[in-house]
């Protein structure tokens, strides 16, 4: 049911409070407590064994790699990792949970007290607290659609049972749907850099539940929250929050009170609807898992794991902004994935002038890709090609006009730069007397500009360089041209 439009004045009277719970599947080869393959897309019920099916007498054994990944994620999110954490049984009945309980962590989670920084509309970053990161196992999947008898039957695929998860719970520090979107974007980026999850939302390896309440501005006490479950894209999380905030304000404005409940997002009509009243922790009858010992994270393990952390996105951007003289936006483009940032930096370091590599990549190649609607991976020009361009420019062996002409050919024919350059080897005029002739003609034809230059407007030199470059069809050696133009104008 869509919410009636609320006037901006009424909206402005309330402040939203948002906290997010994010589940990510960890990229281990095998499951959390058994040796079954942890892989998406296998035939239904083929990756199962007595442990993950919860058959009587089967005992869980903790996957060391899952602990390492969860610890890596905790450190990347600035959490304090507990030396001793406890696995607990969370008991509930559901057809996709054959054991009748999920092994999770409860009052002693792996890690607590973390934070991440998100950009805000005012240029400063805002720190969003992370309450906890705990480990748990995933449940199976109920398949409601896609079978000829789906109208009357639900099928079960238990392959996902026992998949290792990290659940990351934020503090109720988020205040707007946009901030929630930013938080998720940064969180995903950090987890991808840390290499602990593929964070693929379509395949369900990253899932988000959004908790939201509203309170009159100025009131300290939080309002009653609703939890919106399983929203499958960050944009939908933002939309679901926008909807839910308006719905709650409308309830309060019309004299009602918000119910504590679990709601589902409906992407078809852009609304949320009530699924069930919210269960309380005691409904789950949590107790320590008797089949597993406490999880001990030693100081040595922690410091070994810390060494495996790569430079994280925020720090990397700050360094690259300084090192390559980038804008914030360009830094974001270059660090969009760790793999791309690595490829860029490995290439840039082999160039005479790394900054020029960034420049060519972003403005020349990036601009063309953008205009054509292509992704970086679809570029005909390789990183090595870009380094070659940067070096040729740096040595003055090609002019920027010639670079553009060569790139035109690359993009027209889908060829890399080196091949095009070798074939076309653009002519260069390095003969000073030929250039001087062109410069003399240009100076004679533009007396006003000469006057301006001689009156102190030194930037006019650029005008002459441009004119002569054009007259030479882009073939003038740039360094020589610069030098000769200045000499002539001064002389
Ligand atoms: P529950 O006991 O209902 O699971 P928790 O206290 O564990 O609630 O919090 C779950 C999530 O909800 C956290 O991300 C937390 O920040 C957020 N949260 C808690 N209280 C509120 C509130 N009043 N409004 C919005 N979010 C909240
Ligand atoms: Zn198994
Ligand atoms: Mg809770």
């Amino acid at each position: 049911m869509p919410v009636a439009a609320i006037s901006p004045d009424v909206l402005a009277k309330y402040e939203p409070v948002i906290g997010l719970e994010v589940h990510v599947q960890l990229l281990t080869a095998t499951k959390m407590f058994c040796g079954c393959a942890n892989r998406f897309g296998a035939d239904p019920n083929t990756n199962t064994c007595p442990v993950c099916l919860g058959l009587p007498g089967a005992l869980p054994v903790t996957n060391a790699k899952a602990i390492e990944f969860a610890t890596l994620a905790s450190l990347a999110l600035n959490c304090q990792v507990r030396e001793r954490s406890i696995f607990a049984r969370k008991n509930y009945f559901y057809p996709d949970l054959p054991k009748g309980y999920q092994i999770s962590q409860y009052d002693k989670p792996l890690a607590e007290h973390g934070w991440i920084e998100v950009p805000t509309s005012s240029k400063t970053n805002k720190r969003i607290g992370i309450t906890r990161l705990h480990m748990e196992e995933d449940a199976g999947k109920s398949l409601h659609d896609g079978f000829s008898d789906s109208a009357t039957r639900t099928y079960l695929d238990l392959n996902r049972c026992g998949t290792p998860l990290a659940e990351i719970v934020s503090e109720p520090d988020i205040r707007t749907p946009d901030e929630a979107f930013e938080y998720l974007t940064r969180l995903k980026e950090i987890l991808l850099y840390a290499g602990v999850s593929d964070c693929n939302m379509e395949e369900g390896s990253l899932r988000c539940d959004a908790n939201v309440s509203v309170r009159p501005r100025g009131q300290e006490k939080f309002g009653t929250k609703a939890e919106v479950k399983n929203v499958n894209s960050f944009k939908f999380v933002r939309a679901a929050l926008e909807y839910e905030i308006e719905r709650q304000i409308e309830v309060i404005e019309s004299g009602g009170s918000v119910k504590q409940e679990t709601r589902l997002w409906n992407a078809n009509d852009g609304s949320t609807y009530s699924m069930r009243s919210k269960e309380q922790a005691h409904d789950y009858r949590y107790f320590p898992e008797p089949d597993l010992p406490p999880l001990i994270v030693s100081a040595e393990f922690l410091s070994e794991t810390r060494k495996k952390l790569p430079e994280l996105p925020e720090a990397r951007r700050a360094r690259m902004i300084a090192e390559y003289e980038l804008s914030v936006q360009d830094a974001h483009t270059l660090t969009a994935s760790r793999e791309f940032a690595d490829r860029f930096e490995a290439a840039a370091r082999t160039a005479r002038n790394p900054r020029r590599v960034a420049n060519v990549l972003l403005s020349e190649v990036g601009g063309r890709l953008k205009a054509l609607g292509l992704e970086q991976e679809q570029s005909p020009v390789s990183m090595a090609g870009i380094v070659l361009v940067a070096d040729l420019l740096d040595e003055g062996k090609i002019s920027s006009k010639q670079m553009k002409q060569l790139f035109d050919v690359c993009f027209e024919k889908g060829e890399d730069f080196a091949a095009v350059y070798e074939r076309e080897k653009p002519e260069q005029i390095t003969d000073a007397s030929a250039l001087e002739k062109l410069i003399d003609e240009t100076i004679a034809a533009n007396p006003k500009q000469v006057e301006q230059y001689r009156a102190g407007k030194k930037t006019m030199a650029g005008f002459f360089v441009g004119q002569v470059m054009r007259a030479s069809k882009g073939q003038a050696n740039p360094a020589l041209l610069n030098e000769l133009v200045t000499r002539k104008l001064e002389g």
Side-chain angles (χ1 to χ4, degrees):
M1 183 188 51
V3 184
I6 304 178
S7 79
D9 292 1
V10 175
L11 272 181
K13 284 200 308 193
Y14 292 89
E15 180 180 52
V17 171
I18 299 164
L20 301 175
E21 294 167 286
V22 172
H23 287 89
V24 282
Q25 293 182 345
L26 302 174
L27 266 182
T28 53
T30 57
K31 292 188 183 178
M32 181 88 198
F33 299 113
C34 64
C36 289
N38 173 26
R39 189 160 55 81
F40 181 84
D43 284 343
N45 300 306
T46 53
N47 292 334
T48 56
C49 75
V51 173
C52 54
L53 292 176
L55 300 188
L59 287 173
V61 177
T62 311
N63 180 340
K65 200 72 191 170
I67 296 170
E68 182 189 318
F69 281 161
T71 306
L72 262 178
S74 303
L75 293 173
L77 299 171
N78 306 297
C79 289
Q80 291 166 24
V81 178
R82 268 175 187 284
E83 196 189 320
R84 184 173 183 274
S85 65
I86 302 289
F87 286 111
R89 285 193 186 180
K90 180 180 182 180
N91 299 277
Y92 65 96
F93 171 81
Y94 207 74
D96 64 21
L97 187 74
K99 284 213 299 256
Y101 61 87
Q102 187 183 13
I103 303 180
S104 180
Q105 294 189 306
Y106 182 50
D107 56 349
K108 294 193 173 55
L110 177 70
E112 295 166 300
H113 312 302
W115 48 267
I116 58 179
E117 296 218 320
V118 300
T120 61
S121 43
S122 67
K123 283 199 170 143
T124 54
N125 282 349
K126 173 173 170 181
R127 204 172 259 205
I128 309 287
I130 289 172
T131 315
R132 56 191 273 145
L133 181 152
H134 70 248
M135 302 180 71
E136 60 183 29
E137 56 176 340
D138 212 341
K141 252 193 280 194
S142 300
L143 308 173
H144 303 288
D145 306 304
F147 298 93
S148 58
D149 51 358
S150 283
T152 54
R153 275 168 209 265
T154 289
Y155 287 81
L156 289 171
D157 178 2
L158 300 178
N159 280 346
R160 204 176 68 179
C161 280
T163 294
L165 295 176
E167 177 172 343
I168 299 153
V169 182
S170 88
E171 288 288 299
D173 287 347
I174 300 166
R175 290 290 172 270
T176 65
D178 282 336
E179 244 172 62
F181 184 90
E182 279 300 330
Y183 169 86
L184 290 169
T185 306
R186 299 282 85 85
L187 175 63
K188 175 176 168 181
E189 190 178 62
I190 291 168
L191 295 169
L192 284 173
Y193 266 63
V196 300
S197 175
D198 63 19
C199 296
N200 183 333
M201 283 191 99
E202 279 100 68
E203 296 182 356
S205 39
L206 188 155
R207 309 195 287 272
C208 176
D209 303 332
N211 299 269
V212 53
S213 62
V214 297
R215 60 180 171 185
R217 281 189 195 276
Q219 175 184 306
E220 200 173 320
K221 191 169 173 285
F222 288 157
T224 304
K225 72 177 158 76
E227 178 177 5
V228 187
K229 281 254 177 223
N230 278 343
V231 197
N232 63 5
S233 81
F234 293 172
K235 283 198 179 122
F236 283 159
V237 170
R238 181 163 57 193
L241 286 168
E242 276 161 4
Y243 176 89
E244 192 53 28
I245 289 163
E246 294 204 10
R247 186 191 68 82
Q248 293 183 10
I249 292 175
E250 195 178 57
V251 168
I252 297 168
E253 284 285 312
S254 58
S257 53
V258 174
K259 275 194 301 222
Q260 165 124 346
E261 63 184 351
T262 302
R263 299 178 68 88
L264 280 182
W265 164 246
N266 182 349
N268 294 322
D269 66 1
S271 72
T272 66
Y273 58 94
S274 182
M275 180 166 87
R276 57 168 187 248
S277 70
K278 166 81 186 169
E279 59 290 320
Q280 303 287 317
H282 63 246
D283 296 333
Y284 291 120
R285 205 171 56 95
Y286 278 100
F287 61 83
E289 168 59 60
D291 291 339
L292 288 169
L295 174 58
I296 305 297
V297 175
S298 68
E300 295 93 286
F301 177 78
L302 207 55
S303 69
E304 284 308 307
T305 308
R306 204 183 285 279
K307 284 186 206 143
K308 293 180 186 163
L309 262 190
E311 186 180 30
L312 292 169
E314 198 56 36
R316 186 162 195 175
R317 277 193 284 273
R319 177 181 57 74
M320 285 172 63
I321 285 170
E323 201 168 325
Y324 306 102
E325 287 177 353
L326 302 172
S327 68
V328 174
Q329 206 200 320
D330 285 346
H332 273 278
T333 306
L334 289 182
T335 56
S337 79
R338 177 177 156 195
E339 187 266 346
F340 182 58
D342 286 348
R343 279 204 297 127
F344 160 71
E345 290 212 271
R349 287 186 175 134
T350 66
R352 294 164 54 99
N353 180 348
R355 278 174 200 156
R356 218 190 265 277
V357 178
N359 223 310
V360 173
L361 174 63
L362 290 162
S363 49
E364 289 304 323
V365 177
R368 283 162 197 270
L369 291 173
K370 199 162 168 213
L372 294 167
L374 296 178
E375 295 298 322
Q376 189 62 52
E377 303 84 66
Q378 296 168 294
S379 174
V381 181
S382 65
M383 276 303 174
I386 290 167
V387 171
L388 175 59
V389 177
D391 282 349
L392 290 170
L393 284 171
D394 211 61
E395 294 168 289
K397 290 190 178 155
I398 57 171
S399 65
S400 59
K401 173 127 197 237
Q402 288 171 327
M403 165 188 70
K404 286 180 200 292
Q405 289 165 342
L406 292 167
F407 273 146
D408 282 344
V409 179
C410 294
F411 277 81
E412 235 162 69
K413 304 207 165 151
E415 283 181 294
D416 203 349
F417 186 83
V420 175
Y421 178 71
E422 279 309 313
R423 188 175 62 234
E424 317 240 324
K425 266 282 162 59
E427 299 257 330
Q428 264 221 337
I429 305 175
T430 48
D431 169 11
S433 63
L435 284 181
E436 277 170 348
K437 187 163 160 285
L438 289 174
I439 295 169
D440 288 341
E441 286 166 14
T442 310
I443 286 179
N446 297 283
K448 244 201 223 117
Q449 282 81 354
V450 176
E451 213 171 285
Q452 287 175 0
Y453 180 90
R454 293 192 174 140
K457 197 173 173 197
K458 298 292 176 197
T459 50
M460 261 303 149
F463 166 79
F464 287 97
V465 170
Q467 292 292 311
V468 176
M469 188 56 96
R470 194 163 314 149
S472 77
K473 301 194 176 63
Q475 293 178 356
N477 176 290
L480 182 60
L481 174 59
N482 267 314
E483 187 195 315
L484 293 175
V485 163
T486 313
R487 198 187 300 159
K488 288 265 176 193
L489 286 169
E490 294 289 341

